[in-house]
Amino acid sequence: MKALIAMSGGVDSSVAASLMLRQGIGAHGVTMCLQESARSERDIADAAAVCRALGIEHTVLDCRAAFAREVEDAFVAAYENGRTPNPCIICNKKLKFGRLMEAADERGLDLVVTGHYARVAYDKPSGRWLLKKGLDEPKDQSYFLYLLSQEQLARVRFPLGDYTKDEARALADELRFLNARKHDSQDICFVPDGDYAAFVERYSGKHFPEGDFVDPEGHIVGRHKGIIRYTVGQRKGLGLASTAPWYVAGVDADRNEVRLTHGEGLWKRTVYAEALNWIAVPGIDGELRCCAKLRSRHREQPCTAVIENGRLRVDFDEPQRAPTLGQALVLYDGDTVLGGGTICEVQP
């Protein structure tokens, strides 16, 4: 059996490659070039160096056009429509487990391996492949992988799912990888400075005009600097004087308005999601008791899930802070991902 190893240039994918070799599985390292940048060149060089150290072949795939089309275009469109996207989830679906699956097929390779902190298991009673949390819960990345299909999960391996981050770094030190102490990326790869608004304007070539900040009663309380600069729950950068702090409660792209609240308006109990993908179950028939996450760092909370007019409706036992249009709503049963979708509506 042979595997394509997605080599990002970071420590996690490097250790994942070494673990597969220890299992006696042949490996071919592949690095996706997603954009032209000094950072990308460094990552490719680091990945190539690790592959040389491991004695495996290394290939670079030019994915710049697909990345722009599938990820960056969608990112910009979401902000233009007042939503807050999660591009890593789309990249995982379309490129890391889309284009890389194609690359594996082209090379006659059986598996695709990445350095994600998650686990895959086969459930014989249901006949379904399961996506599970990584054992290092603070590093768990199952939330970002909920769009994977049964066909993709059948061929994916996550060797680091049974390891902690500290254990992975210790293995990299043991193997004397040059990237053993390389810092983890904490930002969106194509917006390294974190200035999303500047990227959207530069990429789209558009200027997003000022508009009104409005309070819960619809009164104008100030002027915003363009809707792409705001997301639900935001407090900093509003530039408004008030005896009580203002928070962004919503963005209305059609009216070019940013709705504000003093905080109470951020808490919602009911969340709807669309563009659904199911993993552990083929779907929901009737009410389902489970837990759900609203964002990657949100600890999943008890809820009741049901399908309503083709959309997923989740009623949380307790109101949750700042569910945001465009983010992912992911359902869990213990450490197993049931499925999820994109948040499209929230209600009190």
Side-chain angles (χ1 to χ4, degrees):
M1 184 171 286
K2 296 182 179 180
L4 181 151
I5 316 292
M7 302 292 291
S8 67
V11 63
D12 294 330
S13 59
S14 301
V15 173
S18 70
L19 290 173
M20 297 307 290
L21 290 174
R22 287 185 182 186
Q23 294 176 28
I25 294 176
H28 182 129
V30 172
T31 302
M32 294 186 298
C33 178
L34 304 179
Q35 55 187 324
E36 292 184 25
S37 68
R39 172 178 171 173
S40 179
E41 291 177 2
R42 288 194 302 270
D43 288 342
I44 291 171
D46 288 349
V50 169
C51 286
R52 286 195 298 272
L54 292 173
I56 65 175
E57 188 175 351
H58 177 253
T59 301
V60 177
L61 288 183
D62 185 354
C63 298
R64 289 172 296 177
F67 186 72
R69 181 178 64 252
E70 301 287 359
V71 180
E72 292 176 317
D73 285 359
F75 180 85
V76 169
Y79 269 103
E80 288 178 329
N81 287 284
R83 296 189 170 205
T84 302
N86 194 318
C88 297
I89 290 175
I90 301 301
C91 185
N92 282 335
K93 172 68 175 180
K94 299 288 187 176
L95 278 83
K96 289 183 182 175
F97 301 100
R99 178 65 187 98
L100 287 184
M101 288 287 180
E102 295 174 357
D105 290 338
E106 292 163 1
R107 290 160 175 77
L109 304 174
D110 308 290
L111 305 173
V112 170
V113 175
T114 74
H116 285 96
Y117 287 84
R119 294 174 295 152
V120 175
Y122 183 71
D123 181 58
K124 288 184 178 180
S126 67
R128 299 184 72 84
W129 287 91
L130 306 181
L131 172 64
K132 292 177 169 287
K133 291 181 180 179
L135 293 186
D136 188 349
E137 189 151 352
K139 287 294 182 181
D140 168 55
Q141 293 173 298
S142 60
Y143 174 88
F144 295 100
L145 300 167
Y146 85 91
L147 281 179
L148 297 187
S149 68
Q150 287 291 299
E151 292 75 20
Q152 289 171 327
L153 288 169
R155 297 180 62 190
V156 166
R157 297 296 182 270
F158 301 127
L160 295 187
D162 294 321
Y163 289 78
T164 66
K165 181 71 177 194
D166 289 343
E167 290 170 337
R169 285 204 184 277
L171 283 171
D173 281 333
E174 178 186 317
L175 293 163
R176 298 183 179 180
F177 286 156
L178 81 166
N179 58 4
R181 293 292 149 182
K182 188 174 184 178
H183 291 301
D184 293 337
S185 175
Q186 299 295 327
D187 49 47
I188 294 174
C189 68
F190 55 92
V191 194
D193 62 359
D195 192 343
Y196 303 153
F199 172 82
V200 171
E201 289 192 322
R202 183 172 61 252
Y203 189 90
S204 67
K206 298 178 182 178
H207 171 69
F208 293 83
E210 294 184 355
D212 293 327
F213 282 124
V214 296
D215 67 13
E217 288 72 43
H219 303 134
I220 297 173
V221 296
R223 297 283 288 175
H224 68 68
K225 298 180 180 180
I227 61 168
I228 59 172
R229 289 170 169 80
Y230 307 94
T231 188
V232 174
Q234 179 178 335
R235 175 182 175 183
K236 295 181 179 180
L238 303 185
L240 296 171
S242 175
T243 55
W246 287 112
Y247 298 84
V248 175
V251 177
D252 189 329
D254 292 334
R255 298 172 64 90
N256 193 29
E257 290 181 345
V258 175
R259 301 191 303 276
L260 302 178
T261 177
H262 282 307
E264 66 283 349
L266 293 178
W267 295 87
K268 308 291 183 181
R269 187 185 294 271
T270 299
V271 179
Y272 289 87
E274 59 189 3
L276 307 177
N277 184 62
W278 299 106
I279 296 180
V281 294
I284 294 178
D285 184 12
E287 292 186 350
L288 175 68
R289 286 293 297 172
C290 58
C291 290
K293 292 182 71 167
L294 294 169
R295 59 188 67 86
S296 62
R297 295 185 180 179
H298 178 237
R299 187 168 184 82
E300 61 268 24
Q301 297 295 314
C303 64
T304 300
V306 67
I307 299 299
E308 187 176 283
N309 297 322
R311 301 188 302 175
L312 173 64
R313 171 177 172 154
V314 166
D315 295 311
F316 287 97
D317 292 1
E318 300 291 338
Q320 302 298 307
R321 187 183 186 277
T324 304
L325 302 187
Q327 290 287 291
L329 174 69
V330 179
L331 305 185
Y332 287 83
D333 178 11
D335 65 354
T336 300
V337 175
L338 298 174
T342 304
I343 298 174
C344 59
E345 182 182 347
V346 297
Q347 292 182 1

